[in-house]
Amino acid sequence: MNAELVGVVLLGLGYLGLLFGCGMAVERSWVPVRITRHPMVYTLALGVYASAWAIYGSIELAANAGFGYLAYYLGPAGAFLLAPVLLVPIQRITRTYQLSSLADLFAFRYRSRWAGTLVTLLSLLAVLPLLGIQVQTLSDAVQLLTGSRYSAAVALLFCGIIAACAVLFGARHSHRHRHDTLLSVIAFESVIKLLAMLGLGAIALWWVFDGPQDLQRWLEGPGAALQSATPQLEAPQWRTLLLLFFAAAFMMPHLFQITFAESLSRHTLLQASWTLPLFLLLMALPVPLILWAAQSANESVPLTAYAAYLMTEHWWVGALAFIGGLAAASGTMMMIALALSGMVLNHIVLVARPPEARSDLYGWLLWLRRGLVGAVIVGGWLFAESVGRYHSLTNLGLAAFVGMAQCLPGLLALLYWPGANRKGMIAGLIGGIGVWLWGLWLPLLFDIALPALPFTLLMPADAPAWYNATLISLAVNIVLLIVVSLFTRISEGERSAAEACSVDAVIRSKRLPLEAATAGDFPAHLAQALGDEAASREVDRALKALNLTPQERRPYALRRLRDRIQANLSGLMGPSVARDIVDRYLPYRHDDAPVTDDIHFVESRLEAYRSRLTGLARELDGLRRHHRQTLAYLPVGLCVLGDDDELLMWNQALSQLSGISGDSVIGSRRDSLPPPWPTLLGSVLNASQTPLYKQAVTLHGKDYFLTLHKAVLSGHDSRGGSVILVEDHTEMKWLEEELVHAARLASIGQLAAGVAHEIGNPITGISSLAQNLRYDTDDPALLETADQIQQLTQRVTKIVNSLVGFAHGGRPALPLPAAPASLKTVSDDALHLIHLARSGEDVTFTNHCPSDIVVSGDAQRLTQVMVNLLSNAKDACSPQGTVLIEAGTQARHAWWRVVDDGHGIDPSVKHRLFEPFTTTKPAGEGTGLGLSLAYQIINEHQGKIEVASPPPGKPRGTAITLWLPLYQQDDHLPHAQDTDC
């Protein structure tokens, strides 16, 4: 081993060590997340497209096709410029259904495991030449720098280290997620190879040539003959190359994974639509400079691909080219190994040997993938050593790009032709692969003359083999895809997947119940395929993503949980295996009920998709939202039930009435609703005639009266079901009862007026006898008794007159009182009357009214008010209770207050305390007229009543405050006499 070889090995190991250090810095969060997740990192990671072909192959292509080499850079630029209509729809599908590879996408859309397996095999065969280019350039570069015969062994050493880095940065975890470390490493390598290419271009322009003018003189002088001798691509060949590189930009396995599986967001992908073309433009600029510099420094360039090593004899120029090539090759090899290992695992290994219930399923899958990563890279080294070294980089690269282009017709049909089916796609793909293998791939393996391809006679005589193979294979592919799809039927599963993949469609999920009754039943079913640990983890992961609980029973929620588990398993095992597991262990229950679309799911998808609607579709969606909001904010309760009794809508008014959130019950069955709603809704659904008026129910501990209306949805365009309106007629019911009560009060009032009239005569007699008693005796005791009888009869007369006035519409029967009345005197009189009743003697009454407070009013009627208040206060107090009478003045009014320490006023009657016949006393102990009469009397005195129960600062009791106008001396001065003048 010579010194040059040791130096190159150390240089390569040093670079790979730097790469490892970069990855560990990101892995240990030494680099801020705002940097590792910056959109520019994603763009630079997409620069993995610029593989060793960009460092070496593009120079070789420039020597053989002139500026035709630009097709390698313009093709992906065109693909990313079309990101809104081509790449963004693919990103939406892959992110929604956890699809990480082109094989996953084909297996999902065409509902066939054979589609995924066929695409995987094609990818494996097509990528082998590209992988061989990476290994071959490493070996050739070592050979050019050292002249050692151990270059292949050094390349194998580098391959082993690259495989270890791929496992470390991309296959450390079993669950699929965005590999920030891997993308950061790939982005770092893109920066290195870009700087290397720009450095080589600068060396060519300013070191080999003495600036642009010197280059121009060489091109017009010695270099003119060389440029004229360079073959030029014809226009059809140029366009075909553009198509090949256009397809390769997002269909190569490693590029598909970075473009769609590792992207941050739609915005990031759209931003890459201009940043990636800029990166590729910078990579393309130095290519002709390097070629011209090598041609100017050498009479002939035998290995045009390695022209960078021939520009100058300085070792550091070769070292710079070697680092650039190693950066390009290592990043491409890591991504190809990771992408292909996942495809082979999901669509070949697991299809041939489905997973069984294992105690460590994740570990088993992880080690399988790690082994496949190493196998892919070793396979690339074997291909390079056995096949690649005998062919040019151009032939190897074009064989790879033409092979992957066979997936382009199926991909475009996947997006834009819902009528394409698996039979047509597989037939077209097999036909195209057959032509490609015959025309390009087999000639790489066997150095023998093969029969010409069919339809070769229709091609130009001097057309290169890659051109004929590309056009014929794609033509056969497209024709078979269209013809077979048109003459064969598409399955229901394919139709559903086509709607999910179509650019302007929203998948219509079916409303079917599952065999599993609750989310908690899912782990037991899945454990038969995944094992207990993996099943529990996958179910918990899906529940967390959907914010559901294991107790969830709603059919809609269970369907979404099933879909989420399938999507998660698809990212772990591929869509074919995931679909088989879910269909087998979480099956739908097919009842006799008709199957209809899951309207709520369609609504949720439309809400998520509406920002991308345009034109008429946007207007229609706006109309849909308007109608839905009209129903959601309708001030009347509304719910919609499907024919299978699944709840489809529960508006806000019904949520407020029932106390049940719509989000918690939409998608559930009617019989799973809290009582009394299952019975109530069932009664209106089963009723032959509606509406059902004033159904008595208990909600939140209160009695409600609900009226229910029903409308059956039927017709050609209807999905069936019933709409139920729920009106709250509780207030109307109470108003009707109040109206009946008011009519009863009116009758009682008329009766009371008659009774009052009849009472008036005996009272007049009693008053007359009391007056006569004064003249029949001189006994002071009898005279005092006669005076009391006279006063009481006057009070009874005033009470009767007040009752008569109330019975006649509340009009006062007496003139407005205006005499002076002392509140202390009136309070003493009321207390005296209360003591005459001989009840409540265990209650202490206290009068704290000042003697100087005089109000304007009728003392007798104010006494009546105070008697009623004291009587109520006495009844509210417990034994040994206290009742306090106090008074004071404020401005031109006096306040008069009765305070007790009783049990207080029931809140249910507080708002109607002064209505007639309102009482909390047992039947026979109160009429409910006392406070109503008191209210009327105070109102006639131009006063007001305030009630506080309990009083401020006290835990219990009641305080009733009367406000009355103070008596003013000048209120009753005699008016001046009118005089005749």
Side-chain angles (χ1 to χ4, degrees):
M1 181 178 293
N2 55 36
E4 291 84 357
L5 181 60
V6 174
V8 169
V9 171
L10 293 178
L11 180 64
L13 292 178
Y15 169 76
L16 294 177
L18 178 64
L19 199 66
F20 177 81
C22 174
M24 294 309 296
V26 176
E27 188 75 19
R28 297 184 180 182
S29 301
W30 294 345
V31 181
V33 176
R34 61 184 177 85
I35 295 179
T36 59
R37 294 214 162 199
H38 194 277
M40 187 54 64
V41 172
Y42 174 69
T43 299
L44 291 172
L46 286 172
V48 74
Y49 170 83
S51 62
W53 172 284
I55 307 296
Y56 305 111
S58 58
I59 299 176
E60 183 180 272
L61 185 60
N64 297 327
F67 286 101
Y69 85 94
L70 288 173
Y72 178 76
Y73 302 94
L74 295 177
F80 276 82
L81 288 175
L82 293 176
V85 296
L86 180 63
L87 304 184
V88 169
I90 299 176
Q91 184 196 47
R92 173 182 62 84
I93 299 167
T94 55
R95 290 174 70 91
T96 302
Y97 301 102
Q98 300 287 301
L99 309 176
S100 58
S101 68
L102 189 65
D104 288 352
L105 183 60
F106 272 63
F108 172 79
R109 161 58 179 89
Y110 296 105
R111 285 295 191 263
S112 171
R113 63 174 58 187
W114 298 113
T117 302
L118 187 59
V119 171
T120 299
L121 292 174
L122 170 62
S123 300
L124 190 60
L125 294 176
V127 169
L128 268 180
L130 183 63
L131 193 59
I133 289 175
Q134 318 308 312
V135 179
Q136 185 62 40
T137 55
L138 285 178
S139 179
D140 290 345
V142 173
Q143 174 67 28
L144 286 172
L145 289 174
T146 65
S148 173
R149 57 191 179 90
Y150 298 107
S151 59
V154 173
L156 181 60
L157 172 64
F158 289 155
C159 287
I161 298 175
I162 292 171
C165 290
V167 170
L168 180 64
F169 300 143
R172 293 184 63 187
H173 307 285
S174 56
H175 278 89
R176 174 185 176 270
H177 57 88
R178 187 176 186 269
H179 301 92
D180 289 338
T181 303
L182 178 65
L183 291 187
S184 299
V185 168
I186 300 300
F188 175 76
E189 292 197 305
S190 294
V191 172
I192 295 298
K193 64 190 175 188
L194 176 61
L195 293 177
M197 284 297 289
L198 294 177
L200 291 172
I203 291 171
L205 182 60
W206 300 103
W207 185 282
V208 180
F209 296 106
D210 192 15
Q213 293 181 350
D214 186 35
L215 172 62
Q216 183 65 29
R217 285 193 298 268
W218 182 83
L219 289 175
E220 294 175 352
L226 292 174
Q227 304 312 309
S228 61
T230 301
Q232 299 295 324
L233 289 177
E234 297 182 1
Q237 297 174 13
W238 166 262
R239 291 191 290 269
T240 304
L241 270 183
L242 277 177
L243 176 64
L244 292 178
F245 295 127
F246 173 91
F250 58 93
M251 294 179 62
M252 281 289 181
H254 58 300
L255 296 171
F256 187 97
Q257 178 166 343
I258 285 189
T259 304
F260 305 115
E262 304 288 351
S263 63
L264 284 172
S265 64
R266 179 175 181 268
H267 173 73
T268 305
L269 183 58
L270 290 176
Q271 186 173 352
S273 65
W274 66 268
T275 53
L276 180 64
L278 178 61
F279 172 84
L280 295 176
L281 173 64
L282 294 176
M283 289 289 296
L285 289 178
V287 170
L289 296 176
I290 296 172
L291 177 61
W292 294 335
Q295 290 176 340
S296 68
N298 301 273
E299 294 182 1
S300 63
V301 183
L303 297 175
T304 54
Y306 304 98
Y309 296 92
L310 304 176
M311 292 191 304
T312 177
E313 295 181 354
H314 293 280
W315 65 269
W316 54 271
V317 175
L320 180 62
F322 175 75
I323 290 297
L326 179 58
S330 59
T332 303
M333 292 172 66
M334 281 193 289
M335 289 308 306
I336 287 178
L338 290 171
L340 275 182
S341 64
M343 295 174 69
V344 172
L345 175 64
N346 293 342
H347 297 280
I348 295 179
V349 176
L350 292 180
V351 169
R353 185 183 179 185
E356 301 174 353
R358 293 175 176 269
S359 58
D360 186 16
L361 177 65
Y362 297 121
W364 178 69
L365 293 175
L366 185 60
W367 281 107
L368 273 178
R369 190 178 183 194
R370 289 172 178 173
L372 289 171
V373 168
V376 168
I377 292 181
V378 171
W381 182 84
L382 292 174
F383 184 89
E385 291 301 316
S386 60
V387 178
R389 65 174 54 256
Y390 303 107
H391 300 278
S392 67
L393 301 184
T394 301
N395 289 340
L396 291 173
L398 290 176
F401 297 136
V402 173
M404 284 310 305
Q406 301 309 311
C407 294
L408 185 60
L411 181 65
L412 295 178
L414 179 151
L415 292 175
Y416 301 106
W417 187 25
N421 59 29
R422 71 169 70 97
K423 296 178 181 178
M425 188 279 300
I426 291 177
L429 197 56
I430 291 176
I433 291 174
V435 174
W436 166 69
L437 288 175
W438 190 264
L440 291 179
W441 211 86
L442 289 179
L444 295 178
L445 299 181
F446 307 106
D447 188 16
I448 58 175
L450 296 175
L453 291 172
F455 308 108
T456 302
L457 296 178
L458 301 178
M459 310 300 292
D462 57 345
W466 66 264
Y467 177 74
N468 293 338
T470 301
L471 294 187
I472 295 174
S473 62
L474 289 178
V476 171
N477 193 334
I478 294 171
V479 170
L480 288 176
L481 170 64
I482 295 175
V483 172
V484 175
S485 295
L486 289 176
F487 289 95
T488 56
R489 299 181 60 182
I490 185 171
S491 66
E492 287 296 327
E494 288 180 278
R495 183 175 289 109
S496 175
E499 292 174 353
C501 294
S502 183
V503 172
D504 57 351
V506 178
I507 187 170
R508 296 198 298 268
S509 179
K510 298 301 181 182
R511 201 166 65 236
L512 290 169
L514 271 70
E515 294 288 348
T518 66
D521 297 336
F522 278 46
H525 290 271
L526 287 176
Q528 303 175 55
L530 306 179
D532 294 334
E533 180 184 357
S536 298
R537 186 182 299 181
E538 290 299 328
V539 173
D540 291 342
R541 180 183 173 200
L543 287 172
K544 183 178 180 180
L546 297 175
N547 197 23
L548 300 176
T549 64
Q551 292 75 34
E552 183 63 64
R553 305 181 63 90
R554 292 179 295 160
Y556 168 76
L558 296 182
R559 289 193 296 269
R560 299 291 73 76
L561 180 61
R562 180 186 189 272
D563 293 342
R564 172 61 68 173
I565 291 174
Q566 181 173 336
N568 292 343
L569 291 178
S570 177
L572 184 66
M573 305 177 179
S576 298
V577 177
R579 186 173 59 253
D580 290 344
I581 290 175
V582 171
D583 288 345
R584 181 177 179 183
Y585 297 103
L586 295 175
Y588 287 115
R589 189 175 71 246
H590 296 278
D591 299 331
D592 296 333
V595 178
T596 56
D597 294 336
D598 195 339
I599 299 176
H600 182 65
F601 180 63
V602 174
E603 287 274 357
S604 64
R605 294 301 302 276
L606 282 174
E607 286 295 321
Y609 189 71
R610 68 186 183 89
S611 61
R612 298 191 290 274
L613 296 176
T614 57
L616 181 60
R618 189 178 185 88
E619 296 297 326
L620 291 175
D621 183 66
L623 185 62
R624 173 194 67 82
R625 288 174 55 81
H626 173 72
H627 288 161
R628 183 164 186 85
Q629 288 180 352
T630 300
L631 297 177
Y633 294 103
L634 197 69
V636 178
L638 179 143
C639 65
V640 180
L641 291 167
D643 291 331
D644 55 355
D645 269 359
E646 185 170 324
L647 193 63
L648 306 179
M649 188 174 187
W650 188 274
N651 75 346
Q652 289 191 359
L654 194 53
S655 296
Q656 294 175 357
L657 175 64
S658 63
I660 303 172
S661 170
D663 293 337
S664 65
V665 294
I666 288 179
S668 61
R669 291 300 180 91
R670 175 176 59 86
D671 54 10
S672 65
L673 293 173
W677 294 103
T679 304
L680 189 63
L681 297 179
S683 63
V684 70
L685 288 174
N686 297 326
S688 57
Q689 294 183 349
T690 56
L692 301 182
Y693 288 104
K694 299 183 181 66
Q695 304 296 302
V697 296
T698 300
L699 301 174
H700 328 301
K702 298 181 181 180
D703 293 332
Y704 285 80
F705 296 90
L706 306 179
T707 297
L708 291 89
H709 306 260
K710 177 185 68 173
V712 178
L713 302 176
S714 60
H716 177 70
D717 295 332
S718 174
R719 291 180 169 89
S722 301
V723 178
I724 298 176
L725 289 178
V726 182
E727 294 184 90
D728 183 6
H729 283 171
T730 304
E731 291 187 4
M732 183 180 295
K733 180 71 173 177
W734 288 117
L735 288 175
E736 291 175 353
E737 293 181 356
E738 290 293 334
L739 184 60
V740 173
H741 184 61
R744 186 169 66 251
L745 288 180
S747 300
I748 294 176
Q750 294 175 359
L751 178 62
V755 171
H757 176 73
E758 295 299 328
I759 290 176
N761 293 330
I763 292 300
T764 301
I766 293 172
S767 177
S768 299
L769 292 174
Q771 292 176 11
N772 292 336
L773 190 60
R774 295 178 180 178
Y775 304 102
D776 295 340
T777 182
D778 294 329
D779 187 352
L782 291 177
L783 290 176
E784 183 181 359
T785 301
D787 289 338
Q788 291 179 353
I789 293 173
Q790 183 67 27
Q791 292 176 4
L792 291 175
T793 55
Q794 290 177 0
R795 180 165 169 253
V796 171
T797 300
K798 290 182 178 181
I799 292 174
V800 170
N801 290 336
S802 297
L803 186 58
V804 171
F806 181 80
H808 287 81
R811 295 184 297 273
L814 297 175
L816 187 67
S822 171
L823 294 184
K824 181 172 179 57
T825 303
V826 172
S827 299
D828 288 338
D829 292 343
L831 287 173
H832 179 69
L833 294 174
I834 287 294
H835 289 309
L836 288 177
R838 302 295 181 180
S839 62
E841 295 181 352
D842 52 351
V843 176
T844 302
F845 294 90
T846 305
N847 182 8
H848 284 174
C849 294
S851 58
D852 59 344
I853 299 178
V854 180
V855 299
S856 178
D858 187 333
Q860 290 293 331
R861 301 177 74 186
L862 292 177
T863 301
Q864 178 184 350
V865 171
M866 184 53 62
V867 168
N868 288 333
L869 296 182
L870 293 175
S871 177
N872 289 337
K874 175 196 66 176
D875 293 338
C877 289
S878 57
Q880 308 307 320
T882 59
V883 177
L884 173 65
I885 307 173
E886 53 186 356
T889 61
Q890 182 176 336
R892 296 174 61 89
H893 288 77
W895 55 267
W896 194 18
R897 182 177 299 134
V898 176
V899 183
D900 66 70
D901 58 358
H903 53 69
I905 300 174
D906 187 350
S908 63
V909 300
K910 192 173 182 179
H911 65 285
R912 51 190 180 95
L913 192 62
F914 300 106
E915 295 180 4
F917 305 102
T918 298
T919 181
T920 58
K921 298 177 182 179
E925 296 186 12
T927 62
L929 295 174
L931 287 179
S932 66
L933 291 175
Y935 179 83
Q936 181 183 3
I937 292 172
I938 296 301
N939 192 47
E940 291 172 359
H941 281 72
Q942 297 181 346
K944 63 179 181 179
I945 302 180
E946 295 178 352
V947 179
S949 180
K954 295 185 179 181
R956 54 181 295 174
T958 302
I960 297 182
T961 304
L962 309 178
W963 290 86
L964 295 167
L966 289 171
Y967 178 76
Q968 306 294 333
Q969 291 292 336
D970 55 353
D971 286 349
H972 299 282
L973 290 177
H975 295 286
Q977 298 294 323
D978 294 335
T979 59
D980 296 331
C981 298

